[in-house]
Amino acid sequence: MEESLPVKTIGDGPPAEESTALARDGGTGGLISILKGLEIEKSLATDPVVVALQYYPATSGSFAPLPPEVAPKLVEYLRGRGLDQLYTHQRAAYDLAKAGKSFVVTTPTASGKTLCYNLPILDAIIKDTDTRALYLFPTKALAQDQLAELYATIEALGEDIATFTYDGDTPQDARKAIRSKAHIVVTNPDMLHKGILPHHTKWVKLFENLKYVVIDELHMNRGVYGSHVGNVLRRLRRLCRFYGSDPQFLCSSATIRNPAELATALTGKPVEWIQESGAPRGERYFAIYNPPVVNRQLGIRKSALGSARDIASRFLEKGLQTIVFAPSRLATEVLVTYLKDMFESKPGSEGIIRGYRGGYLPLKRREIERGLRDGSVLGVVSTNALELGIDIGALDVSVMLSYPGTVASTWQQAGRSGRRGSTSAAVLVLNSTPLNQFIGRNPEYFFGASAEEGRINPDNLHILISHIKCAAFELPIESDETFGSENLVEILGFLETQGFVHKAGDSWHWTHESYPADTVSLRSVSSDNFVIQDITREPKIVAEVDFDSAPMMVHEKAVYMLEGKTYLVHKYDHKERRAHIREADVDYYTDAITYTKVKILDSFLEEPRGQVIRSHGEVHVSQQIVGFKKIKFYTNENVGSGELQMPQKEMHTTSYWLTIPREVIAQLPFTGEEKRDGVIALSHTLGQLASLFLMCDRRDLGVAVGDNGQGEAKVERGMGLVPVWPDRRKQFGNAGAPSETGLAPVMEPYEPNIFVYDNYPGGIGLSEPLFRLHDRLIAESLTLIENCPCFDGCPSCVGPAGEVGSKGKEVALHLLRVAMRG
């Protein structure tokens, strides 16, 4: 084994040890020295913990002249900012917009994508004051950030271009003026869906003159959310046709494999792709850090969270402004607690470490963003909420706690450092899951992989019917109309039998008393957020949490964390969508445990492969929070638990499943208990690798184990940091139900199914591709488990031996070999 891992240079430029940055004093030199220090660390197995270190040299810019037809005031403004010319991608965007074409630009973070749409839109409004534009941002925070920049530009121009944000926080008395006067309306898809389209008669001026629709962060519109947004845009174009307009779509996106295809699927219009960036870029380093092995026999590595804390602290100690991305809200709050303990003990240091996640109130988020821009905040721990293009200044380092789930998200998070052209570093800290360890053993897979495709399925019936209701409410639907690829007349006929619409002549009219848009949430099953009320002293609202996450985060007796402060949940009120919390000085956090049951409803395809059967079809999934564990800070000891009976959530969805026939199970040379352990172990590996090969977010998939024809309960990990493994004694009871004692009777022989299902009602189109990927999934799972150096199983392959039994790994290997054997 080499003493240190050489730096691989990408393109022309010096390797790290020859970089001119090393000659500098202060921050950048400190950055390089920390990377070199990480590089020489070893684990007990003498393997280097930095499994890859890539160097990307600085690149120079590519420029094009300002278009001669740009309005003189805009030219004067740009030159006043030192912009005598444009980057080549900005000029390409302007030319396409002026030619009446829609486009999507996918240049890197901080490459000036905003000007790609602002320039042609402001130019058009200056030349024709009737022109209207609609800006769609995925979050209110990003909309507010971009609006501030737009306001500054318009003020400097001295033009009367009315620009307003229109969202849930917009005062009622301002809404009428916005509807009649705004040249540019800045909003989000949720508000377009609920607050604008259903009230289109109040927005006549906008719809009659709508020339441009901006979709920022296009890559966020994928999966379930993107499928909803695609239908919202169908409704938008339908109303535009009614009012006589046909807008162009100007889109920006992080790098994904199919941006033009995704943009076309969302907008229903041909879209040109601008992918070559003309912007310069500072030199960058990207390290993949695999925490050291601390117990070779059990295959246990140092905690990824502890490693991320230690790495971030090294950079912070050098005064390098650092962002740490955590995979969950719980992990975010735990890391904030740890880093505050380390860096805020001195007088005057309060507030230099902050957290940032969904659920923080808007004023708190704005305060944190300002602190990052002005440098008063040295370090921030965030969920992917800061992955988007919110301006947070020139950060030096990005540390990512575990693989974010997609190549696109990883590069987006890494790109949050070095946004202003300075030398920067990104460190990906791997955890012990098979998905992360696959990348640790195959770093070239990550560096060589193209970004994922953005997939949507706007014709998912569950989603489509909801938006057809909304469309009928907005305007009567004519018999010759189309809305997606499904049979619209058939769907309307069904809605008529349910009393939602009535056919009169060749049109269907909305007849129901309900307001359909209010019952459809673009982001989750329910549109209701829970509010978090601190009742320690005078009651006050301190945060909020989405409906789906509330049972896991704010169940009674849960520890709720907010920027390093700990609270105990005093009351969970499901009906009122409210949780009451009190301040509490505790040394542990809580992690909810989910009980899942899957039942097969219909098999669409079924095919023997090797000595097993692969299938995909429709399933029924029921989930319930049944308990929680208390995990001690720093040591991760389990210091207690509790039982819960939270409301059950049910859904119909689609799934891929692997069936191991009874005769195959019966022939394995293991006991019944060992066979069950092996199936559970194998489900862990398959579920982790499935998201990698599908190139989807890990949260888009659920995993469960059952007996063929009867779905089986499985206890999954909750939201937290310590894996909650299935109690193998409870896995296989009669008809999928655990016995009253918690010990299920042994039933031999059985025929296990391993389900990997779409984690959304109706499915989002992942089960059929996974069915096709079956052979690769089995082969790569076999390779991963065979190459894992542990003896009996570990978190990096099939799960710890203490949870999947001493034979779990061995049985899983037998099953995979059987699956590949013809």
Side-chain angles (χ1 to χ4, degrees):
M1 187 69 65
E2 293 181 356
E3 283 301 309
S4 81
L5 188 71
V7 176
K8 181 178 179 182
T9 302
I10 307 298
D12 297 324
E17 51 266 47
E18 297 175 9
S19 172
T20 55
L22 279 173
R24 302 179 194 147
D25 295 325
T28 303
L31 184 154
I32 304 298
S33 66
I34 292 169
L35 288 176
K36 290 178 71 64
L38 293 175
E39 187 188 5
I40 62 175
E41 288 184 14
K42 296 285 182 10
S43 70
L44 289 180
T46 71
D47 296 324
V49 293
V50 176
V51 298
L53 178 56
Q54 301 278 57
Y55 170 72
Y56 298 85
T59 58
S60 57
S62 176
F63 301 93
L66 285 167
E69 64 270 32
V70 173
K73 279 195 173 183
L74 265 175
V75 172
E76 182 183 348
Y77 164 74
L78 292 171
R79 287 179 173 159
R81 293 179 59 195
L83 301 177
D84 293 319
Q85 51 191 345
L86 300 176
Y87 296 140
T88 49
H89 63 275
Q90 294 170 333
R91 175 61 191 266
Y94 180 89
D95 292 342
L96 286 170
K98 288 304 174 184
K101 296 181 179 180
S102 298
F103 66 75
V104 56
V105 56
T106 59
T107 53
T109 305
S111 60
K113 288 197 288 277
T114 302
L115 195 61
C116 289
Y117 51 78
N118 276 347
L119 181 60
I121 289 173
L122 292 174
D123 186 49
I125 294 172
I126 290 172
K127 293 173 180 175
D128 179 3
T129 56
D130 284 336
T131 299
R132 296 293 184 266
L134 182 68
Y135 282 38
L136 297 178
F137 295 96
T139 65
K140 287 193 289 186
L142 187 56
Q144 291 289 345
D145 181 72
Q146 295 295 323
L147 188 65
E149 181 178 340
L150 194 55
Y151 276 155
T153 300
I154 293 169
E155 186 176 353
L157 284 171
E159 288 286 332
D160 185 19
I161 300 176
T163 303
F164 301 97
T165 183
Y166 193 85
D167 57 30
D169 299 329
T170 304
Q172 289 294 331
D173 57 356
R175 296 189 177 195
K176 184 177 180 180
I178 293 171
R179 289 192 289 261
S180 60
K181 297 178 181 178
H183 292 95
I184 299 174
V185 177
V186 179
T187 188
N188 54 69
D190 307 82
M191 195 64 181
L192 177 63
H193 158 60
K194 288 187 179 182
I196 296 178
L197 299 181
H199 306 288
H200 60 90
T201 55
K202 299 178 180 178
W203 293 86
V204 174
K205 189 75 171 176
L206 174 71
F207 285 107
E208 285 181 340
N209 297 281
L210 188 59
K211 187 171 182 180
Y212 299 107
V213 177
V214 170
I215 305 177
D216 196 46
E217 306 289 354
L218 177 93
H219 64 284
M220 298 296 294
N221 297 290
R222 61 181 189 267
V224 174
Y225 173 66
S227 300
H228 275 295
V229 173
N231 279 290
V232 171
L233 294 177
R234 284 172 175 171
R235 289 160 50 200
L236 171 66
R237 291 194 65 206
R238 181 171 179 260
L239 289 174
C240 286
R241 287 193 296 271
F242 177 78
Y243 285 102
S245 61
D246 184 19
Q248 297 167 236
F249 290 86
L250 313 185
C251 312
S252 70
S253 173
T255 301
I256 55 175
R257 187 185 300 174
N258 63 333
E261 179 187 345
L262 175 61
T264 297
L266 282 165
T267 65
K269 302 190 75 169
V271 176
E272 301 283 338
W273 180 11
I274 303 170
Q275 56 181 315
E276 295 297 329
S277 174
R281 182 87 189 196
E283 61 180 356
R284 297 176 293 150
Y285 298 86
F286 193 115
I288 298 180
Y289 180 95
N290 204 9
V293 174
V294 295
N295 186 319
R296 184 171 174 79
Q297 287 72 30
L298 297 178
I300 295 174
R301 294 181 178 273
K302 180 182 176 182
S303 157
L305 187 141
S307 296
R309 173 197 62 202
D310 295 344
I311 291 169
S313 66
R314 296 190 196 187
F315 291 115
L316 291 166
E317 285 168 354
K318 294 285 188 180
L320 295 164
Q321 202 173 23
T322 301
I323 183 169
V324 183
F325 284 102
S328 68
R329 283 170 280 201
L330 178 55
T332 297
E333 294 296 348
V334 172
L335 264 173
V336 169
T337 301
Y338 290 170
L339 291 174
K340 278 182 174 287
D341 287 348
M342 296 176 71
F343 289 95
E344 293 192 358
S345 57
K346 297 179 181 178
S349 62
E350 184 178 352
I352 65 170
I353 304 296
R354 302 298 299 265
Y356 192 103
R357 61 170 174 81
Y360 284 15
L361 297 179
L363 289 178
K364 181 184 285 288
R365 292 199 298 267
R366 301 295 89 73
E367 175 193 327
I368 296 165
E369 292 160 14
R370 284 195 302 271
L372 286 166
R373 288 194 294 269
D374 64 28
S376 61
V377 173
L378 181 63
V380 63
V381 184
S382 175
T383 59
N384 61 359
L386 278 179
E387 182 181 309
L388 303 180
I390 296 169
D391 184 11
I392 53 175
L395 305 185
D396 300 302
V397 181
S398 173
V399 177
M400 294 162 278
L401 169 55
S402 79
Y403 179 59
T406 65
V407 173
S409 288
T410 307
W411 285 113
Q412 187 82 346
Q413 291 182 9
R416 296 306 274 164
S417 58
R419 286 172 55 84
R420 304 277 171 83
S422 59
T423 299
S424 62
V427 181
L428 172 59
V429 181
L430 302 176
N431 63 26
S432 293
T433 62
L435 171 59
N436 280 253
Q437 291 305 305
F438 179 89
I439 292 171
R441 295 190 181 99
N442 305 277
E444 68 283 353
Y445 176 90
F446 168 76
F447 287 111
S450 58
E452 294 79 10
E453 292 185 353
R455 294 194 186 99
I456 62 170
N457 182 18
D459 292 328
N460 171 299
L461 275 176
H462 184 87
I463 296 171
L464 181 66
I465 289 175
S466 298
H467 289 278
I468 288 174
K469 289 180 184 178
C470 297
F473 176 89
E474 290 153 6
L475 282 177
I477 299 178
E478 303 298 325
S479 297
D480 59 352
E481 277 193 63
T482 58
F483 196 93
S485 61
E486 295 293 332
N487 188 321
L488 183 57
V489 172
E490 185 178 321
I491 293 173
L492 289 167
F494 166 75
L495 292 177
E496 186 173 29
T497 65
Q498 302 297 306
F500 289 104
V501 298
H502 174 70
K503 188 176 183 183
D506 290 331
S507 303
W508 274 268
H509 298 258
W510 182 257
T511 56
H512 202 268
E513 62 184 13
S514 66
Y515 179 69
D518 205 35
T519 64
V520 181
S521 170
L522 306 190
R523 300 173 192 266
S524 64
V525 175
S526 173
S527 59
D528 296 334
N529 279 352
F530 277 66
V531 294
I532 313 298
Q533 188 172 39
D534 181 4
I535 59 171
T536 308
R537 288 170 284 276
E538 188 71 23
K540 61 179 180 179
I541 304 298
V542 294
E544 61 183 4
V545 61
D546 65 272
F547 180 88
D548 288 339
S549 301
M552 289 185 281
M553 291 189 66
V554 290
H555 58 78
E556 291 186 3
K557 301 179 184 177
V559 173
Y560 184 77
M561 292 184 287
L562 187 66
E563 283 213 286
K565 289 184 178 180
T566 53
Y567 303 80
L568 280 175
V569 177
H570 174 68
K571 181 182 179 182
Y572 172 87
D573 191 333
H574 189 80
K575 184 178 179 181
E576 295 297 325
R577 307 291 193 260
R578 184 179 297 268
H580 294 166
I581 61 175
R582 294 183 188 274
E583 291 180 10
D585 186 14
V586 295
D587 62 352
Y588 66 90
Y589 58 91
T590 51
D591 196 11
I593 303 170
T594 306
Y595 185 81
T596 303
K597 184 176 178 178
V598 181
K599 184 175 182 178
I600 299 169
L601 300 176
D602 188 17
S603 178
F604 302 152
L605 282 174
E606 185 176 294
E607 181 185 20
R609 303 294 286 186
Q611 295 184 35
V612 300
I613 301 168
R614 65 171 177 173
S615 307
H616 90 89
E618 186 178 357
V619 297
H620 176 268
V621 179
S622 57
Q623 293 179 322
Q624 187 176 24
I625 306 296
V626 297
F628 64 93
K629 292 191 175 187
K630 297 178 180 179
I631 310 297
K632 192 174 179 66
F633 286 124
Y634 294 102
T635 65
N636 286 336
E637 296 172 81
N638 185 346
V639 294
S641 61
E643 294 185 358
L644 296 168
Q645 285 295 322
M646 304 298 286
Q648 186 168 282
K649 184 175 77 171
E650 300 185 52
M651 67 176 174
H652 286 192
T653 186
T654 54
S655 178
Y656 152 88
W657 63 91
L658 168 70
T659 304
I660 306 167
R662 285 184 177 85
E663 56 272 21
V664 173
I665 285 287
Q667 292 171 8
L668 293 179
F670 302 98
T671 67
E673 190 75 14
E674 289 168 347
K675 294 172 186 177
R676 290 165 175 75
D677 292 342
V679 172
I680 296 165
L682 178 57
S683 73
H684 176 63
T685 307
L686 294 180
Q688 290 283 333
L689 291 189
S691 61
L692 180 70
F693 300 135
L694 283 173
M695 295 184 174
C696 69
D697 193 298
R698 179 69 183 85
R699 292 164 293 187
D700 288 340
L701 297 174
V703 182
V705 177
D707 200 352
N708 194 26
Q710 292 290 334
E712 199 64 44
K714 173 181 180 289
V715 179
E716 299 178 335
R717 71 174 286 174
M719 297 185 62
L721 318 172
V722 180
V724 180
W725 296 91
D727 183 339
R728 57 187 182 279
R729 298 173 302 166
K730 297 182 181 180
Q731 287 296 309
F732 296 90
N734 277 317
S739 65
E740 291 183 3
T741 62
L743 295 174
V746 175
M747 298 179 64
E748 287 280 12
Y750 70 101
E751 191 168 73
N753 286 328
I754 298 174
F755 296 94
V756 183
Y757 58 87
D758 291 18
N759 203 14
Y760 186 79
I764 51 175
L766 297 176
S767 65
E768 196 271 335
L770 189 55
F771 176 85
R772 295 198 309 268
L773 285 167
H774 167 91
D775 293 342
R776 183 183 181 195
L777 179 64
I778 295 297
E780 293 288 4
S781 297
L782 178 61
T783 300
L784 184 142
I785 298 174
E786 282 182 333
N787 291 341
C788 186
C790 71
F791 297 123
D792 300 325
C794 69
S796 301
C797 58
V798 297
E803 299 291 351
V804 298
S806 61
K807 296 288 186 179
K809 180 177 180 178
E810 188 178 349
V811 176
L813 286 169
H814 270 76
L815 293 173
L816 287 167
R817 290 168 184 146
V818 164
M820 296 185 66
R821 193 180 302 149

